[in-house]
Structure formats: C-alpha cells, structure tokens
Amino acid sequence: MASPAAERKTVAGPVSVRPLAEADLDQADEIFRVAFGTFLGVPEPKTFFETADYVRTRWAADPQAAFAATIEGELAGSNFAANWGSVGYFGPLTVRPDLWDQGVGKRLMDPVMDCFDTWGNRHLGLFTFSHSPKHLELYRRYGFWPRFLTAIMKKQVAGSSGSSAFPGRVMYSELPAAEQPACLSACRALTGAVYEGLDLEREIVAVHTQGLGDTILLQGGGSDLDGLAVCHCGAGSEAGEDVCFVKFGTVRPGPEAADHFERLLDACEQLAAERGLSQLDAGMNLGRPDAYRRLIDRGFRTGLQGVTMHRPNEPGYSHPDAYVIDDWR
C-alpha cells in the first residue's frame, strides 16, 4: 500500500511481532478500517466496512493465529491466519498508512507462514488487490501466484421476512449439542469430496459460538449432505448491518451439483429473508465459471473485485466443475 510521502513516518525502532491480544482489538480494528479506506480512497476511512467486523471475529475464532506488529510498543498492524484443513489462507493483513512501505507487512507474513507449516496445510491462498503490483510482488516472494479474479457479489433479497418450510434444510444452530459432532463429520465428508482434506469446522463453530449467523445444511440421502453454507448475518459479523454474507458454501460434486447449487442459493436467500436482511453477499472465484454465471443469472452484481493468489500455483478447488462460494479476504 502506498500513501503520500508527506504523511509517512520513518520507522524509529525495530518492528516486533507478537500475538494479537484482546486489549489490542479496538486499535487493530481502527487500523484495519483506515488502511483499507485509505488505499481505496474513501472520504472517511475510519468508517470503512461500517458495521462489519473482521478483526474481533477472527481473533475470537483462533487467538493463537492472530498477530500484531509493534514499533516501540505501539501497534503498527495485524494479520490473521485461518485453518481449513488441507487449505490455509490469511488476512486481512493491514498496516497503519503512515508506516506503509517500511517492511511492517513483511514481518506480519512470517508468523502466518509458521502457522501453515505447523498445521500442515497443502494449499495456501489469499485475496488481494489485482491492480496493485506491490501487493502481488510481496506475496510472490512467499511463493504465492495470482490466478483468477474473485468477485465479491451482492443482490437484493426477494421475498418476505416470514419463515416458511424449506424441504431438506436444517440449521446447525437447531441441532442438539450431542448431534453436532456427527454433523461436523458429515460436513467434513462433503467438503473433502470437493477438495481432499478441506474442512470448514473452524468457520461453522465460530459462527455458532460467537452468534454471528448460522450454517445451512442441505440433507441428501442417508447421512450425506447435498450442500452447506456458512452465513454471517447482520451487524457485528463479517456481513454488516442488513446483510447476509455467505462466508463459504458448497455442494456435493457430481452430475446433480448444479441443481444442488441452485437449491443452496435458494436456501441462503430464504435465510436472509427470515432474518429480515435485505442484501445477500457472496464471493465467487471466476475459475468456477458455471457457478459464477448462475449468480449473475440470479441478479448478483460485483461490488468489489480482487485476485486470489495461490501457493502452489494450482487451482485448488477453483476449477470449472466446482460449485463453491467463498473469498479469502
């Protein structure tokens, strides 16, 4: 990220990296908003992302995978790693704008790469700005390569806010505690069929325990699932006020995958309506062209566009036969 030279400070001391503490969260949240808002040129950077919360929610999901950079004891930036089984990604990585271009971001990369080594993730990724050569070069030095664009899409929710039956849909929050482990195992089997070792337990549990939204489960035959969608709902989640955000969604691969995907999208829109939320957000990697087209056909339009970078330089689960909703912001 670049800022006018007159606004930059010269780093007066060494950059230290340590775990992000709960006492850091307010300041880390402000840095996160100001950094993105400044880079994108919004008039009031401190209000960027409005009521959406990425910092507190990701810290609460795994405090041991959240890191702070400090200079002479003052917070300079933060970064977060996420463990999805065989897949790992990181972000948001943000640095105070007055300290841009002075190596703080590089120092915040080192502990997340250590996390991935510890976890043994096979495929690593991130979301960044496709028009920023500096970002692409920083991450290339760590072995990440840009692949397809990722569109952060949104649409207005159709239908009423009243609840109605949806055949085969179960909400994770409705399950008795004794049934949740078996459900998580079924979810793991589904995501593992999409990409070997892919596991969304971290996100499902974080949404449930933090009260951020809910996870939609589409039942198939027997104990199998046809699909799932981890959804953030409303202010204080990653969605923000009046928004339902599909953090991750997928369906079982095979000849009926497209039909299952349409059904999953119906279920996501119904959840938004039931919660009284007027907007549905979903990230879509353009390496999944049929899934992307189906979002467009439903009225989704791109509000923000970036690029995912992958290590190794392989598609992972972003290929034409995959019906996955996600973004690695």
Side-chain angles (χ1 to χ4, degrees), residues 102-122:
Q102 300 191 58
V104 179
K106 182 178 183 301
R107 290 299 311 278
L108 282 166
M109 283 295 299
D110 296 332
V112 301
M113 299 306 293
D114 289 342
C115 274
F116 298 144
D117 287 342
T118 299
W119 295 335
N121 312 107
R122 186 171 71 251

Side-chain angles (χ1 to χ4, degrees), residues 192-212:
V194 173
Y195 185 78
E196 185 179 2
L198 179 63
D199 183 359
L200 270 291
E201 178 175 344
R202 173 191 189 271
E203 302 301 333
I204 296 169
V205 172
V207 165
H208 181 63
T209 58
Q210 296 182 53
L212 303 176

Side-chain angles (χ1 to χ4, degrees), residues 94-206:
T94 52
V95 176
R96 270 172 37 198
D98 61 315
L99 297 172
W100 283 348
D101 302 321
Q102 300 191 58
V104 179
K106 182 178 183 301
R107 290 299 311 278
L108 282 166
M109 283 295 299
D110 296 332
V112 301
M113 299 306 293
D114 289 342
C115 274
F116 298 144
D117 287 342
T118 299
W119 295 335
N121 312 107
R122 186 171 71 251
H123 191 83
L124 307 179
L126 65 114
F127 175 101
T128 192
F129 299 107
S130 55
H131 63 289
S132 174
K134 180 173 64 175
H135 287 81
L136 300 182
E137 177 58 19
L138 169 63
Y139 302 132
R140 185 198 63 79
R141 293 177 183 177
Y142 286 85
F144 293 91
W145 289 86
R147 294 190 65 90
F148 289 104
L149 294 174
T150 291
I152 311 303
M153 308 181 77
K154 57 187 177 182
K155 69 161 294 186
Q156 294 302 300
V157 173
S160 67
S161 59
S163 178
S164 58
F166 191 103
R169 187 192 78 169
V170 175
M171 308 306 299
Y172 183 80
S173 65
E174 298 172 352
L175 296 175
E179 296 180 15
Q180 290 173 1
C183 174
L184 292 172
S185 179
C187 291
R188 193 176 303 115
L190 170 61
T191 54
V194 173
Y195 185 78
E196 185 179 2
L198 179 63
D199 183 359
L200 270 291
E201 178 175 344
R202 173 191 189 271
E203 302 301 333
I204 296 169
V205 172

Side-chain angles (χ1 to χ4, degrees), residues 230-241:
V230 184
C231 299
H232 286 228
C233 299
S237 73
E238 293 181 20
E241 186 174 0

Side-chain angles (χ1 to χ4, degrees), residues 157-327:
V157 173
S160 67
S161 59
S163 178
S164 58
F166 191 103
R169 187 192 78 169
V170 175
M171 308 306 299
Y172 183 80
S173 65
E174 298 172 352
L175 296 175
E179 296 180 15
Q180 290 173 1
C183 174
L184 292 172
S185 179
C187 291
R188 193 176 303 115
L190 170 61
T191 54
V194 173
Y195 185 78
E196 185 179 2
L198 179 63
D199 183 359
L200 270 291
E201 178 175 344
R202 173 191 189 271
E203 302 301 333
I204 296 169
V205 172
V207 165
H208 181 63
T209 58
Q210 296 182 53
L212 303 176
D214 213 334
T215 296
I216 296 168
L217 308 165
L218 292 185
Q219 294 180 320
S223 60
D224 293 339
L225 294 175
D226 286 339
L228 67 84
V230 184
C231 299
H232 286 228
C233 299
S237 73
E238 293 181 20
E241 186 174 0
D242 204 28
V243 176
C244 176
F245 166 52
V246 185
K247 173 106 185 222
F248 183 91
T250 194
V251 297
R252 183 169 299 281
E256 298 181 357
D259 291 339
H260 292 326
F261 188 65
E262 293 285 355
R263 185 166 161 241
L264 185 67
L265 293 174
D266 287 341
C268 291
E269 190 155 358
Q270 178 164 329
L271 174 63
E274 290 171 359
R275 294 289 184 103
L277 305 171
S278 67
Q279 182 174 304
L280 182 62
D281 287 7
M284 179 54 65
N285 187 290
L286 273 61
R288 311 167 200 146
D290 191 57
Y292 176 56
R293 178 185 63 78
R294 289 173 186 275
L295 290 183
I296 292 173
D297 289 347
R298 282 176 170 259
F300 282 88
R301 295 296 179 263
T302 301
L304 174 69
Q305 191 161 265
V307 63
T308 51
M309 299 184 70
H310 296 234
R311 174 181 164 178
N313 186 15
E314 297 172 354
Y317 55 76
S318 292
H319 54 80
D321 293 331
Y323 289 86
V324 177
I325 297 169
D326 77 334
D327 68 81

